[in-house]
């Protein structure tokens, strides 16, 4: 059965507050750290899947499936260093840690496992007053969460896995 009209409600972006500090021990080095609080508890407490307009008239014409999410608030710690290699080149390293806010009892494939650690490496090259080129790589090591969500039909000991490597290149022109 295919339901042609579907929507998912109850998903919000968490409000966030944070504080950070940075200092330059020398002209070439910058050291920074921050802590952020994300209010996932109020943003993702319950989600509802709505479905209607099925391609088969012998099935329910409307479905509504409510899932408890019960996410926890999250505190994220980040630290980084930047080294100014020359007047035109800066190298950056970073580390980020934040506990997975999703309880195992309400984990689901739509809102899957979240990595708790992220490592980053970046490089910026400046070309005069107007142009610069930045490149960075982010790596999140493999996270495997085994869960049993009684609200879903996947049974006991279902696995969610996440690993990511992201590369980004940015060319900037200032006017």
């Amino acid at each position: 059965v295919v339901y042609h009209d579907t929507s998912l409600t109850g998903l919000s972006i968490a409000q966030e507050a944070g504080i950070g500090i940075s200092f330059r021990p020398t002209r070439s080095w910058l050291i920074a750290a921050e802590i952020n609080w994300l209010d996932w508890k109020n943003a993702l407490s319950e989600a509802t899947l709505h479905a209607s307009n099925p391609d088969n008239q012998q099935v329910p014409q409307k479905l509504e499936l409510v899932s408890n999410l019960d996410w926890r608030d999250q505190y994220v710690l980040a630290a980084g260093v930047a080294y100014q290699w020359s007047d035109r080149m800066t190298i950056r390293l970073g580390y980020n840690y934040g506990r997975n806010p999703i309880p195992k009892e309400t984990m689901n494939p739509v809102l899957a496992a979240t990595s708790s650690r992220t490592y980053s490496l970046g490089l910026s090259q400046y070309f005069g007053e107007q142009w610069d080129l930045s490149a960075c790589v982010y790596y999140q090591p493999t996270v495997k969460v085994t869960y049993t969500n009684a609200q879903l039909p996947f049974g006991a000991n279902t696995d969610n896995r996440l690993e990511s490597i992201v590369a980004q290149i940015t060319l900037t022109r200032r006017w």
Side-chain angles (χ1 to χ4, degrees), residues 14 37-45 68-76 97-108 111-117 143 145 162:
W37 163 75
L38 289 94
D39 184 20
W40 290 120
K41 184 177 181 179
N42 289 313
L44 295 171
S45 61
N68 293 324
L69 300 176
D70 296 327
W71 281 33
R72 300 178 292 251
D73 285 353
Q74 185 181 40
Y75 292 90
V76 178
Y97 175 80
R99 180 183 69 146
N100 186 348
I102 310 170
K104 288 184 180 183
E105 300 78 28
T106 61
M107 179 78 61
N108 69 61
L111 301 170
T114 301
S115 179
S116 60
R117 296 171 290 143
V143 173
V145 177
L162 170 72

Side-chain angles (χ1 to χ4, degrees), residues 4 21 29 49 51 94-95 97 99 102 117 128 158 160 163-164:
H4 296 283
I21 186 169
W29 286 95
L49 174 66
Y95 176 74
Y97 175 80
R99 180 183 69 146
I102 310 170
R117 296 171 290 143
T158 302
N160 263 338
E163 177 182 26
S164 65

Side-chain angles (χ1 to χ4, degrees), residues 7 26-27 33 38 40 55 95 106 119 137 149-150 164:
S7 66
T26 69
R27 183 184 175 280
L38 289 94
W40 290 120
D55 62 0
Y95 176 74
T106 61
Y119 302 92
V137 175
N149 184 337
S164 65

Side-chain angles (χ1 to χ4, degrees), residues 61-130:
Q61 296 300 295
K62 290 186 178 185
L63 293 178
E64 187 172 284
L65 175 63
V66 178
S67 298
N68 293 324
L69 300 176
D70 296 327
W71 281 33
R72 300 178 292 251
D73 285 353
Q74 185 181 40
Y75 292 90
V76 178
L77 303 171
V81 296
Y83 178 71
Q84 189 171 351
W85 184 272
S86 69
D87 288 343
R88 296 187 177 267
M89 183 181 289
T90 303
I91 301 167
R92 296 176 182 85
L93 291 170
Y95 176 74
N96 183 312
Y97 175 80
R99 180 183 69 146
N100 186 348
I102 310 170
K104 288 184 180 183
E105 300 78 28
T106 61
M107 179 78 61
N108 69 61
V110 175
L111 301 170
T114 301
S115 179
S116 60
R117 296 171 290 143
T118 303
Y119 302 92
S120 59
L121 172 64
L123 177 73
S124 294
Q125 177 70 44
Y126 305 97
F127 301 100
E129 295 292 318
Q130 294 180 318

Side-chain angles (χ1 to χ4, degrees), residues 128-140:
E129 295 292 318
Q130 294 180 318
W131 292 93
D132 61 82
L133 181 68
S134 296
C136 61
V137 175
Y138 301 94
Y139 173 63
Q140 294 179 321

